[in-house]
Amino acid sequence: MENEIGTNEKKAFQLFLKSAEGGDHVGQNNLGYCYRNGIGTTKDEKKAFQWYLKSAEGGNHAGQNNLGDCYQHGIGTTKNEEKAFQWYTKSVEGGNHTGQNNLGNCYLLGIGTIKDEKKAFQCYLKSAEGGDIYGQSSLGYCYRHGKGTTKDDKKALHWYSISAEGGNINAQTLLGNYYQFGFKTTKDEEGNSVYYGSEIKITKDEEKIFHRYLKSAEEGNTDGQNKLGYCYLLGIGTIKDKEKAFQWYIKSAEGGDSGGQYSLANCYFYGIGTAKDERKAIRWYIKSSKRGNKVE
């Protein structure tokens, strides 16, 4: 199977190369991605940068975002936060929602520009509403901590939940902590509910949730298998067990669930319940994306 994957990656690389050399700006961005991650070719960050540059200068908004990332982190070029900010801005002007989140980071942290929490919040809001899972998590952060907006635990939980459902593992972890501890950790006497701030009440009966997902998963429901993996990952209604989480994500992913495929990709990418394997991670990210799960 690995040889087949390697062959497919090489074919993909050759197709992107032909497209890029023919002047296609989408192909140039894709080729940059291949060089950056060593997909079908030897990893070469300088070549990745050069192809992202061609794509960005040709007006491709994803390429502009990726070029900004290269300048921000010094990937294949000298680190230059001002240029990173400029390219993120161009990406946003073209409607790239991931670039919108990155631009928000620039305003929040003062990367290549003056810190401005209100502008950061507006960027995250647009990114989140555009469907970017990282923008959704960033927006949740703003509401949680009152960055550029009024603190609102209810809205924070809402956006963290959406991001987590989209497959953002960091948002999943934050959401799990909220379910376990609450924003202000105000519990009723029986311990069956958790109040988040003064407005949010979430019924906390984790064992029932776990067993519902367990039954669904054992019956072969791929969405239930993915959610059962989530329960094992965070210890919701059961003991934390990353290896079991990984095994259920495999079942979900192989059954064709895009969320499960994304969760499995995260496991391989971060080494959760299994050894790190970036190639397998990329393979599952691609499968997830093809089935409609947004992967940036």
Side-chain angles (χ1 to χ4, degrees), residues 73-88:
H73 300 287
I75 297 168
T77 188
T78 304
K79 187 174 179 178
N80 189 319
E81 292 184 347
E82 288 75 17
K83 286 187 177 180
F85 175 78
Q86 290 167 7
W87 282 108
Y88 288 145

Side-chain angles (χ1 to χ4, degrees), residues 24-288:
D24 182 80
H25 304 309
V26 175
Q28 290 166 348
N29 178 57
N30 291 336
L31 187 62
Y33 181 82
C34 288
Y35 275 121
R36 180 170 179 176
N37 296 284
I39 299 173
T41 188
T42 304
K43 188 175 180 178
D44 190 323
E45 291 184 348
K46 289 185 177 179
K47 286 185 179 179
F49 171 78
Q50 289 300 326
W51 283 110
Y52 284 147
L53 180 62
K54 287 181 182 290
S55 176
E57 290 179 339
N60 182 268
H61 308 308
Q64 291 167 346
N65 174 59
N66 288 326
L67 184 63
D69 188 58
C70 287
Y71 276 123
Q72 182 181 345
H73 300 287
I75 297 168
T77 188
T78 304
K79 187 174 179 178
N80 189 319
E81 292 184 347
E82 288 75 17
K83 286 187 177 180
F85 175 78
Q86 290 167 7
W87 282 108
Y88 288 145
T89 301
K90 286 183 179 291
S91 173
V92 166
E93 289 170 355
N96 187 278
H97 300 303
T98 303
Q100 192 90 56
N101 178 58
N102 289 332
L103 188 63
N105 292 337
C106 288
Y107 280 121
L108 184 69
L109 302 172
I111 298 170
T113 189
I114 299 168
K115 283 186 180 182
D116 190 322
E117 291 184 355
K118 289 185 177 180
K119 286 185 178 179
F121 172 78
Q122 290 300 324
C123 286
Y124 292 145
L125 180 62
K126 289 179 181 179
S127 176
E129 291 178 342
D132 185 80
I133 59 173
Y134 302 107
Q136 291 162 352
S137 180
S138 298
L139 185 61
Y141 172 84
C142 286
Y143 280 122
R144 173 74 179 93
H145 298 281
K147 299 288 185 180
T149 189
T150 305
K151 187 175 178 180
D152 189 323
D153 288 337
K154 186 175 182 180
K155 288 182 179 178
L157 183 63
H158 168 76
W159 285 108
Y160 278 135
S161 297
I162 292 175
S163 179
E165 288 170 4
N168 185 348
I169 198 165
N170 292 327
Q172 289 171 356
T173 302
L174 286 167
L175 191 61
N177 289 338
Y178 290 165
Y179 275 109
Q180 186 175 358
F181 301 113
F183 283 113
K184 294 187 180 177
T185 324
T186 305
K187 300 184 180 180
D188 66 10
E189 292 180 359
E190 296 179 357
N192 293 323
S193 300
V194 175
Y195 289 79
Y196 296 93
S198 60
E199 301 179 60
I200 307 168
K201 178 181 176 182
I202 293 180
T203 301
K204 187 179 180 184
D205 195 346
E206 294 183 347
E207 287 188 7
K208 287 184 179 179
I209 292 171
F210 171 77
H211 286 294
R212 185 166 70 246
Y213 290 149
L214 178 62
K215 183 179 179 181
S216 174
E218 289 178 340
E219 290 175 350
N221 183 284
T222 56
D223 180 57
Q225 290 166 346
N226 180 42
K227 289 176 179 174
L228 183 63
Y230 176 64
C231 287
Y232 277 119
L233 180 67
L234 298 174
I236 298 173
T238 187
I239 298 170
K240 280 187 181 182
D241 191 322
K242 292 180 180 179
E243 287 73 20
K244 284 186 178 179
F246 173 72
Q247 291 301 324
W248 282 108
Y249 286 147
I250 287 178
K251 288 181 182 291
S252 176
E254 291 181 343
D257 186 83
S258 65
Q261 291 167 346
Y262 195 93
S263 298
L264 183 60
N266 283 331
C267 286
Y268 280 124
F269 190 82
Y270 295 104
I272 299 168
T274 188
K276 282 188 176 184
D277 191 324
E278 289 190 4
R279 285 186 175 274
K280 286 184 179 179
I282 291 168
R283 168 193 167 196
W284 284 108
Y285 281 135
I286 291 171
K287 283 181 177 286
S288 177

